[in-house]
Amino acid sequence: MIHIPDFAHATTVQVIFCFLAFITVITAFLTIFSRNPIHSAIYLVICFFSIAGHYLLLNAQFLAIVHIIVYSGAIMILFLFTIMLMNLNERHQVHKPRITRLGAIVSFCLICIVLITIFINSKPIVGEYDSSGEDFQSIKVLGKILLNEYMVPFEFASILLLVAMIGTVLLSKKEKLNK
C-alpha cells in the first residue's frame, strides 16, 4: 500500500527532502532529454548538488562534500572536455539503423521489467543492527582511518588518476604536420 505524505503536518526536513527530490528528478530528466550537450552537463551538475543535499539531510557531511568535489567537480570537468573534444554540436550526425534503435528499446524494456520485478519481490531486512559505538560519520575518525590504515591504496589511487589525466592530455593533443 502506498503511503501518501501529509504535507499539512510536514516537518522542515520533509519539506526540504521533497524539494530536493523534485529538483533531482526534474534535472535528471532534463539531462537526458536536452538536445544541447552543454545544457545536459549543467543539468547534471544541478542534479549532483541536489543529491549532495540528500546526503546532508542524512547527516553524512563527508559524503556530501566528497560527492560535490568528485562528481560535480572532477567528473563534470572530464565530461565537458569529452564534449568539447568530440564536437557534439555538429548536426551532420549519421542516423542509426532502425534495428539498432529497436534493439535499444527492447533491451531498455527488459532491464526495466527485471528491475521492477526485483523491486516488487524484495523484502525489508529485519534484524538487529550491531554497533561498535565508534562514530564513522565524523570526518576526523574517517581521516584517521583513511590516512593510517589505507594510506597506500589512497596514494595508489591518486597516482592512477594522475597517470590517466596525463594520458588523456597526450591523447587529445593533435600532432603538428611538419612542412
Side-chain angles (χ1 to χ4, degrees):
M1 185 168 168
I2 297 175
H3 174 70
I4 299 173
D6 182 18
F7 290 111
H9 300 95
T11 63
T12 307
V13 173
Q14 289 171 335
V15 171
I16 293 172
F17 172 80
C18 289
F19 178 72
L20 287 174
F22 177 75
I23 290 188
T24 302
V25 170
I26 293 299
T27 55
F29 278 118
L30 287 173
T31 299
I32 295 169
F33 293 119
S34 177
R35 292 195 182 271
N36 188 342
I38 302 297
H39 291 168
S40 281
I42 291 170
Y43 292 137
L44 190 59
V45 167
I46 295 169
C47 185
F48 285 157
F49 271 100
S50 63
I51 291 172
H54 286 288
Y55 285 137
L56 288 175
L57 287 178
L58 292 170
N59 199 20
Q61 295 87 4
F62 180 73
L63 282 178
I65 298 296
V66 168
H67 184 79
I68 288 172
I69 291 171
V70 171
Y71 288 107
S72 300
I75 301 296
M76 283 313 301
I77 295 297
L78 289 175
F79 280 176
L80 289 175
F81 280 152
T82 305
I83 289 169
M84 290 187 307
L85 285 174
M86 293 176 63
N87 199 8
L88 293 177
N89 278 331
E90 293 181 4
R91 295 289 180 203
H92 57 79
Q93 181 180 354
V94 179
H95 291 290
K96 305 274 187 218
R98 288 182 190 238
I99 191 75
T100 305
R101 285 189 273 170
L102 180 66
I105 291 170
V106 168
S107 62
F108 173 76
C109 291
L110 288 174
I111 290 172
C112 284
I113 290 169
V114 168
L115 289 176
I116 289 171
T117 306
I118 290 171
F119 181 71
I120 290 172
N121 293 330
S122 66
K123 306 220 178 340
I125 298 173
V126 179
E128 287 192 29
Y129 177 72
D130 295 331
S131 176
S132 65
E134 195 168 4
D135 180 25
F136 286 105
Q137 289 287 22
S138 169
I139 296 174
K140 183 178 180 180
V141 173
L142 195 59
K144 282 183 183 177
I145 291 172
L146 187 63
L147 295 176
N148 286 337
E149 295 177 28
Y150 297 106
M151 180 66 166
V152 174
F154 186 74
E155 290 300 322
F156 279 146
S158 66
I159 291 170
L160 180 67
L161 288 172
L162 179 66
V163 168
M165 184 176 64
I166 291 171
T168 303
V169 169
L170 289 177
L171 286 174
S172 66
K173 257 178 100 172
K174 296 189 183 210
E175 294 182 22
K176 293 181 181 178
L177 298 174
N178 293 330
K179 292 183 179 181

